[in-house]
């Protein structure tokens, strides 16, 4: 069965520091991968997605993610974090069939001024 | 361009009651998926509706049912509410199509917070 792991439950960084959030998936076929962000009490906003092609994907708000098949990873990165980036981040592989997303447990990001 | 909308925003019910949540998809989208997000967890897939039919279902009991209307809007119904049904219920819309394998992006609404007392 497909699954996804986000090893870091909480991460705290200083404003202006770089950020990397980890995501590992278990998927037999070519995966389709998404990162979503959720602010407190809000729905999910799409940050970026990988379907095929270039393994480095650019998203909104300055985020990028790199797909590494050999490591079954799709880590999210940002070179300089802003206080407004504090939120919960979800990695979600696409499960075969009718477009069902499988979400990880999420990583909660705190940003210190 | 209106995004995905959900109503109500918050809802408080007691055990054993029934609840109906509503979702209007993003303009141009024809597929609606529902997810349950318990506190501190990631969303879990409940089911998906396309062409007014449920075409995929997650691991949820029959107490959870839904409906899709000709205008593509959707309802989620939960009967015999349990305390464990307290969660944020998220609706997502996408372009469905007739193929069995779609990668169209899902866009989420703000959710309905259900509290069961």
């Amino acid at each position: 069965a497909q699954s996804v792991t986000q090893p870091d439950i909480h991460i705290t960084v200083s404003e202006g520091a770089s950020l990397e959030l980890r995501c590992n998936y278990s998927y037999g076929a070519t995966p389709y991968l998404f990162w979503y962000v959720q602010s407190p009490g809000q729905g999910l906003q799409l940050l970026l997605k990988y379907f095929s092609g270039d393994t480095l994907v650019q998203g909104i708000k300055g985020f990028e993610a790199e797909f590494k098949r050999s490591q079954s990873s799709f880590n999210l990165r940002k070179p300089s974090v802003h206080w407004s980036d504090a939120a919960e981040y979800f990695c979600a592989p696409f499960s075969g069939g009718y477009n069902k997303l499988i979400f990880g447990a999420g990583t909660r990001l705190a940003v210190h001024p | 361009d209106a995004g995905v909308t959900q109503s109500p925003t918050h809802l408080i019910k007691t055990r054993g009651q029934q609840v109906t949540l509503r979702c209007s998809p993003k303009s141009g989208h024809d597929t609606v998926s529902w997810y349950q997000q318990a506190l501190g967890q990631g969303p879990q897939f409940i089911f998906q509706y396309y062409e007014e039919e449920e075409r995929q279902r997650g691991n949820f009991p029959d107490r959870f049912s839904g409906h899709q209307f000709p205008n593509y809007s959707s309802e989620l119904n939960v009967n015999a509410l349990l305390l464990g049904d307290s969660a944020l219920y998220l609706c997502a819309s996408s372009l469905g199509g007739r193929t069995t394998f779609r990668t169209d992006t899902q866009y989420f609404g703000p959710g309905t917070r259900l509290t069961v007392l």
Side-chain angles (χ1 to χ4, degrees):
Chain A
Q2 296 86 15
S3 64
V4 57
T5 302
Q6 293 182 248
D8 305 304
I9 299 175
H10 295 280
I11 285 183
T12 300
V13 299
S14 298
E15 191 169 16
S18 64
L19 172 70
E20 182 170 27
L21 303 182
R22 296 182 291 166
C23 171
N24 294 98
Y25 62 89
S26 169
Y27 201 96
T30 301
Y32 299 88
L33 298 153
F34 300 79
W35 274 99
Y36 285 87
V37 60
Q38 186 176 36
S39 297
Q42 301 299 311
L44 299 169
Q45 181 182 21
L46 177 69
L47 282 176
L48 49 77
K49 59 187 177 184
Y50 170 77
F51 284 175
S52 64
D54 194 345
T55 56
L56 185 62
V57 180
Q58 301 298 318
I60 63 170
K61 304 183 179 185
F63 285 92
E64 66 178 26
E66 186 172 12
F67 169 61
K68 293 184 177 180
R69 185 186 301 274
S70 61
Q71 299 177 17
S72 297
S73 69
F74 188 56
N75 294 348
L76 182 70
R77 301 193 295 248
K78 186 170 185 177
S80 178
V81 171
H82 188 263
W83 63 266
S84 61
D85 293 325
E88 187 133 25
Y89 291 80
F90 292 96
C91 178
F94 159 74
S95 170
Y98 294 114
N99 208 8
K100 177 176 72 175
L101 292 168
I102 297 176
F103 285 88
T107 296
R108 182 170 297 278
L109 173 67
V111 180
H112 280 292
Chain B
D1 179 21
V4 180
T5 59
Q6 293 185 245
S7 63
T9 303
H10 295 88
L11 207 50
I12 298 175
K13 294 286 188 179
T14 57
R15 282 178 297 176
Q17 285 189 311
Q18 178 266 343
V19 68
T20 297
L21 311 181
R22 295 176 176 82
C23 171
S24 292
K26 184 178 170 66
S27 178
H29 286 181
D30 58 7
T31 300
V32 172
S33 302
W34 287 91
Y35 292 81
Q36 180 196 65
Q37 185 179 20
L39 197 62
Q41 298 182 21
Q44 301 293 315
F45 176 78
I46 302 175
F47 44 52
Q48 184 180 89
Y49 276 84
Y50 172 70
E51 290 190 337
E52 303 180 45
E53 291 189 358
E54 180 186 298
R55 73 174 179 180
Q56 193 174 25
R57 188 178 183 91
N59 188 25
F60 279 81
D62 292 343
R63 297 186 298 109
F64 289 78
S65 64
H67 187 78
Q68 186 178 34
F69 299 94
N71 67 354
Y72 308 122
S73 67
S74 176
E75 289 182 349
L76 164 66
N77 301 292
V78 186
N79 295 321
L81 284 167
L82 303 174
L83 295 179
D85 295 332
S86 295
L88 180 68
Y89 287 85
L90 295 164
C91 168
S93 75
S94 58
L95 281 172
R98 296 183 180 274
T99 61
T100 59
F101 188 80
R102 298 288 299 182
T103 58
D104 294 309
T105 302
Q106 293 191 9
Y107 293 88
F108 285 81
T112 293
R113 173 74 61 188
L114 172 64
T115 301
V116 182
L117 302 176

